[in-house]
Amino acid sequence: MKVGDHMASYEMDKKNLIKVGNEIITLKKLFEVIPVSVVLINRKGEHILDSKVLLDINNSEPHALVRHKVAELSKEDANIIERDFGLFDQNKTVPAHDLAINNKTYKVVVAPLRNDSGYAFAELAVLTDITENKNTEHRLAKLNEQLKQLASRDGLTQLLNWYSYNDICNKMIGLARRENTSFSVMFIDIDHFKKVNDTYGHAAGDTVLREVADCIVENCRKTDIIGRVGGEEIAVYLPQTDCHDAITLAEKIRIYIEKEKFDAEGTLINITVSIGISNDKPYYQTIADIKKDADAAMYMAKSNGRNRIEHL
């Protein structure tokens, strides 16, 4: 029998006595009063000693877990213990890990108990309640995601803002170049939008702009990149789309908006849009390159009577 196997078999004899001044206590008694969650486990995965705090965590009676294997509660935890002893035998450090118990999260730190020969006959695990820390991390992660969303979106239309739209489109153009696929861009501008603001007020103008943006989103594909790039200007990047398909989609959007009734402070009004289109050309390297032509095509549509589509 190896030195230390007495502990592994949970034989509480005189070797388990600890002298503190004139008082003598047992290791068992020490575990009962220690104010932290601690468990001593042998190589078979059996509980040898448990602190009262640990028993409270598991809603267990005193000694209820002693001599019971961890595998009876969790096969996954049993595998972790088996891994721990494998690392101990290689003189490696066991990484801390998180453990969920009764809707709470605990950080588990373990250390080997070795005999004089260096053989790890048991492991001591200390559990620290980090539930609140984890909840805080989750709240912060959620808040960061919300802030990221706000930073990348236009507050009125919820479309991508100018910066995010440009950034994503430049990456998409790079991808199109690598994969040798086509792309197009639509530049959409609301006709006589200033008149809407002057007649019905800026609140009504905001409502109309938001509803027009919704119409565009509703008619575009999920793969299309849509951004508000100016006051009443909305740009749409169309991946894997040639000139013919881009014009078809633009016409669909133009007709849809023309037939829609928009609420301007309680008054239903008609709105039209002018759309400029430009599709992939060899010298387009960034969204700024293609935007120039799409923008010029849009102004051509306005010059030619509005509520129409032009292509460059």
Side-chain angles (χ1 to χ4, degrees), residues 20-230:
V20 182
N22 294 325
E23 302 296 328
I24 295 178
I25 61 174
T26 65
L27 187 58
K28 176 182 175 183
K29 182 65 176 177
L30 180 64
F31 265 65
E32 288 177 355
V33 299
I34 193 169
V36 292
S37 304
V38 181
V39 57
L40 186 62
I41 299 172
N42 65 14
R43 292 187 75 102
K44 296 178 182 179
E46 297 172 332
H47 285 249
I48 301 304
L49 287 171
D50 301 294
S51 67
K52 182 179 183 304
V53 178
L54 181 78
L55 293 171
D56 291 341
I57 289 174
N58 286 280
N59 296 321
S60 301
E61 297 296 325
H63 313 305
L65 298 177
V66 172
R67 303 196 187 207
H68 285 273
K69 291 188 175 182
V70 173
E72 295 175 22
L73 297 175
S74 169
K75 180 63 177 176
E76 181 181 356
D77 292 341
N79 291 336
I80 291 174
I81 291 170
E82 185 177 345
R83 177 212 61 182
D84 292 351
F85 281 103
L87 292 174
F88 293 151
D89 291 343
Q90 300 174 57
N91 289 319
K92 293 183 178 180
T93 301
V94 172
H97 66 277
D98 293 348
L99 179 65
I101 304 176
N102 294 332
N103 298 318
K104 288 194 173 185
T105 304
Y106 296 86
K107 181 179 180 181
V108 183
V109 178
V110 302
L113 270 67
R114 300 181 184 275
N115 60 19
D116 293 339
S117 300
Y119 178 74
F121 59 85
E123 78 169 9
L124 185 71
V126 179
L127 286 70
T128 304
D129 188 347
I130 58 171
T131 306
E132 188 55 39
N133 289 345
K134 284 293 181 180
N135 289 341
T136 300
E137 287 178 10
H138 178 73
R139 288 193 294 268
L140 288 174
K142 187 175 181 180
L143 179 59
N144 284 336
E145 186 60 32
Q146 291 172 342
L147 290 173
K148 184 178 178 181
Q149 181 81 353
L150 289 172
S152 65
R153 295 284 172 177
D154 170 59
L156 177 63
T157 63
Q158 294 306 303
L159 301 177
L160 291 170
N161 59 30
W162 178 88
Y163 178 83
S164 297
Y165 174 81
N166 282 7
D167 183 52
I168 294 172
C169 288
N170 284 333
K171 292 175 181 176
M172 294 294 288
I173 290 173
L175 179 63
R177 288 284 176 257
R178 290 193 296 273
E179 297 185 349
N180 195 29
T181 57
S182 61
F183 59 90
S184 299
V185 167
M186 291 191 298
F187 213 67
I188 305 169
D189 188 89
I190 300 175
D191 294 328
H192 302 297
F193 187 68
K194 183 177 183 301
K195 184 178 179 180
V196 174
N197 282 327
D198 291 343
T199 304
Y200 303 101
H202 287 280
D206 287 348
T207 299
V208 169
L209 179 56
R210 187 164 48 243
E211 291 180 359
V212 168
D214 291 343
C215 290
I216 294 171
V217 171
E218 187 175 339
N219 284 277
C220 285
R221 304 163 300 185
K222 292 186 181 300
T223 54
D224 298 332
I225 312 301
I226 311 171
R228 183 185 179 190
V229 295

Side-chain angles (χ1 to χ4, degrees), residues 240-277:
Q240 298 181 331
T241 305
D242 59 21
C243 181
H244 176 269
D245 289 340
I247 292 174
T248 299
L249 177 59
E251 182 64 10
K252 177 184 175 183
I253 292 172
R254 186 195 67 77
I255 293 173
Y256 187 93
I257 292 174
E258 182 183 28
K259 292 181 176 179
E260 192 75 10
K261 296 290 185 180
F262 294 89
D263 185 358
E265 292 296 288
T267 300
L268 297 180
I269 63 173
N270 292 104
I271 292 294
T272 61
V273 294
S274 296
I275 304 176
I277 297 174

Side-chain angles (χ1 to χ4, degrees), residues 8-27:
S9 60
Y10 191 53
E11 296 296 333
M12 302 301 297
D13 57 19
K14 291 183 180 179
K15 294 181 180 180
N16 299 119
L17 299 179
I18 301 173
K19 187 173 183 180
V20 182
N22 294 325
E23 302 296 328
I24 295 178
I25 61 174
T26 65
L27 187 58

